[in-house]
Amino acid sequence: MFKTSIQEKIQALGYKTFTPIQEAVFKAYEKKDNIIGLAPTGTGKTHAYLLPIVNELDLQDESVQAVICVPTNELVAQVEEMLKKVNIGFTVKAYSSSKDRNRELESLSKKQPQIVISTPGRLEDYAIKEGKLKIHTTKVFVLDEADMMLDMDFMNTLDRVFYAVKDARMLLFSATLPNGLNKWLDAYFGKAHVIDLKDPSVLKITHGLVYTRNETRDTDFKRLVKAINPFLCMVFVSKKEQVDHVYQQLLDIGIKAIRISGDTPARERKTILDDIKQLKYTFIVSSDLGSRGLDIVGVSHVIHYDLPYHLEYYIHRSGRTGRANQTGMSIALVTNENSRKIDNISKRGIGFQRYQIEGTTLVPVVKKVKSNLSEEELQAIRKVKKPTKVSPNYKKKNKKLVKKARNAARYGGK
């Protein structure tokens, strides 16, 4: 399927086999249909669309041929870095709020990139408002991490962008897809080829629950931190205002930690990522939005300080571990009031194991099988003496004695 030049790049990336989402997209891409690809975080969705796009580029055509739209500056940089590793001589431009706007607009007056990576806001600015980025020539348009953009109310911006690329082939990728988008998807993706591999159970992640109370959450959180031995752990909070509070809890017990939220400036986020790659920290405290788009490798554990408001974020949080076929553990601090949320998450194909903290050890809670016997019957059975010597049919004889004792307690000796 791939050109020789692309095959060489794939080998250099170290691919020996492709993931299910990659194989499915490669096959669907040849049919020229629009594609909706749903798969858990960390299963290789980005390379699933990058490799076919690069494979079909016309290097002699200096117009825009592919547009990749992602929700955050960090994802723009991440996709750009991945494209560099498969570059066979094409031009690519990455547009985000961290770049010099005037310089980029001036550059576009001279030359158009063959591949564009951009946030929705920058795409609308350069292509729609300024008219400098000529995306109407693009052959393929990719909307990656789609659920985040739809959650963040980018709909109006995307509508204007989609109108400008109405002749392009449309590809959408996401780990989850919010309900109620059928009309929107029909309008822009039509009869798309749907690849649905979003069952999170395909990842090698153990999902744990540790029950707490709101008044003891901090104490139990610190006990939990001491009970695990992570290579790298991400701690998630549902409100960005909690980031500093949870970060301080870790510092109080001598943990090497760093914090990040949606308010963290782009330059500081880059420094944090560099420090994480150099293993300067064991714990990262983050809000849900603060974590999106961060390319963090080697996360062994995820702790949910509390459950997120949008349950899709539970899957995104947990998907930070168990990536690239590695194992991982996702542990949530929950209260009895969280039972409905837990049930709803379970319906997504996630099985939970309950744990309790004993000293500095995380211990699975074994579910007791409810007995149909009364306390009187159990007491009577316990009084049956077990044979001291093993004789023929000793099990059968003992079973009769147990039954006799049970009936005596149940029916008064009848």
Side-chain angles (χ1 to χ4, degrees):
M1 170 191 171
F2 293 115
K3 299 173 185 175
T4 303
S5 54
I6 301 300
Q7 289 175 343
E8 290 172 355
K9 295 290 184 181
I10 292 171
Q11 289 173 357
L13 289 171
Y15 276 112
K16 294 181 180 178
T17 58
F18 293 115
T19 65
I21 184 66
Q22 289 168 348
E23 290 183 346
V25 172
F26 296 162
K27 186 177 180 180
Y29 204 89
E30 295 177 344
K31 298 178 181 178
K32 308 298 180 184
D33 295 328
N34 292 342
I35 297 173
I36 295 176
L38 307 174
T41 303
T43 52
K45 292 193 294 294
T46 308
H47 274 131
Y49 64 76
L50 285 184
L51 295 176
I53 285 174
V54 171
N55 189 59
E56 291 196 352
L57 280 178
D58 180 354
L59 299 181
Q60 307 306 313
D61 181 354
E62 295 186 350
S63 64
V64 176
Q65 298 180 50
V67 177
I68 300 165
C69 184
V70 294
T72 66
N73 294 339
E74 287 76 21
L75 274 171
V76 168
Q78 182 179 323
V79 176
E80 181 185 25
E81 190 63 31
M82 295 173 82
L83 262 177
K84 286 178 181 178
K85 295 176 181 178
V86 293
N87 198 320
I88 55 171
F90 54 82
T91 57
V92 57
K93 278 288 185 179
Y95 299 117
S96 65
S97 59
S98 62
K99 304 287 184 69
D100 187 303
R101 181 177 182 274
N102 292 331
R103 186 180 298 173
E104 288 179 331
L105 289 173
E106 184 180 345
S107 175
L108 283 169
S109 299
K110 301 172 184 176
K111 187 177 181 180
Q112 295 289 306
Q114 291 168 310
I115 298 182
V116 172
I117 313 161
S118 178
T119 57
R122 269 299 198 253
L123 204 54
E124 181 192 32
D125 185 11
Y126 293 175
I128 312 302
K129 294 179 180 177
E130 297 292 340
K132 295 293 181 73
L133 181 60
K134 311 297 182 182
I135 61 174
H136 67 277
T137 63
T138 190
K139 296 178 176 65
V140 59
F141 183 95
V142 179
L143 191 67
D144 198 4
E145 297 285 357
D147 58 336
M148 186 180 180
M149 283 185 266
L150 304 177
D151 277 353
M152 290 177 66
D153 206 21
F154 283 144
M155 299 292 281
N156 290 334
T157 300
L158 289 173
D159 284 341
R160 289 188 283 271
V161 170
F162 283 170
Y163 182 78
V165 296
K166 57 182 181 294
D167 296 327
R169 183 181 185 186
M170 306 293 287
L171 278 63
L172 179 149
F173 293 91
S174 187
T176 60
L177 204 57
N179 294 324
L181 291 175
N182 291 340
K183 288 185 178 179
W184 187 84
L185 290 173
D186 287 343
Y188 293 113
F189 291 83
K191 294 181 179 179
H193 181 90
V194 179
I195 302 166
D196 190 351
L197 302 173
K198 66 180 182 295
D199 181 0
S201 65
V202 302
L203 300 178
K204 298 177 182 178
I205 301 173
T206 300
H207 295 269
L209 300 175
V210 173
Y211 276 80
T212 184
R213 299 190 307 277
N214 288 325
E215 58 269 25
T216 62
R217 188 181 297 273
D218 287 341
T219 301
D220 291 332
F221 169 65
K222 287 185 275 194
R223 291 178 65 218
L224 174 59
V225 165
K226 292 178 180 179
I228 62 175
N229 184 30
F231 176 78
L232 182 62
C233 178
M234 290 195 74
V235 181
F236 286 99
V237 297
S238 58
K239 297 178 181 177
K240 66 180 180 182
E241 294 82 8
Q242 294 174 308
V243 169
D244 289 344
H245 172 77
V246 174
Y247 171 68
Q248 189 60 50
Q249 301 301 309
L250 292 171
L251 296 186
D252 289 345
I253 56 176
I255 296 293
K256 293 173 68 176
I258 193 66
R259 58 191 161 179
I260 194 164
S261 73
D263 294 333
T264 306
R267 184 169 294 181
E268 186 180 340
R269 290 163 77 91
K270 186 179 184 306
T271 301
I272 289 171
L273 284 174
D274 290 340
D275 288 344
I276 292 169
K277 288 175 182 176
Q278 294 174 32
L279 304 180
K280 291 185 178 180
Y281 306 103
T282 311
F283 284 78
I284 306 161
V285 183
S286 177
S287 61
D288 288 312
L289 293 181
S291 73
R292 297 300 291 272
L294 297 181
D295 186 19
I296 300 174
V297 179
V299 177
S300 60
H301 291 71
V302 167
I303 293 178
H304 308 260
Y305 178 78
D306 53 6
L307 289 177
Y309 296 111
H310 299 290
L311 297 186
E312 286 83 5
Y313 281 131
Y314 177 87
I315 296 171
H316 287 298
R317 289 177 176 186
S318 300
R320 286 293 174 173
T321 187
R323 302 179 79 132
N325 212 31
Q326 299 296 309
T327 59
M329 190 169 198
S330 173
I331 313 166
L333 285 169
V334 297
T335 64
N336 290 328
E337 291 76 22
N338 292 142
S339 58
R340 182 173 292 180
K341 279 190 174 183
I342 294 167
D343 287 343
N344 287 335
I345 295 171
S346 297
K347 291 175 183 175
R348 309 284 179 96
I350 291 174
F352 287 105
Q353 165 66 55
R354 185 169 175 174
Y355 290 88
Q356 60 188 25
I357 306 166
E358 295 182 2
T360 57
T361 306
L362 198 61
V363 180
V365 175
V366 180
K367 217 172 186 180
K368 293 182 179 179
V369 180
K370 190 174 180 181
S371 175
N372 292 322
L373 301 176
S374 67
E375 186 59 32
E376 290 79 9
E377 290 170 318
L378 289 170
Q379 291 290 346
I381 291 170
R382 291 189 189 109
K383 290 178 182 178
V384 175
K385 291 184 179 181
K386 294 181 181 178
T388 54
K389 293 182 180 180
V390 176
S391 58
N393 296 322
Y394 80 97
K395 287 185 178 180
K396 192 174 181 180
K397 291 177 182 177
N398 186 254
K399 192 174 180 181
K400 283 184 177 180
L401 291 173
V402 168
K403 186 177 180 180
K404 185 177 180 180
R406 185 201 68 194
N407 288 341
R410 181 178 293 181
Y411 305 115
K414 295 180 182 178

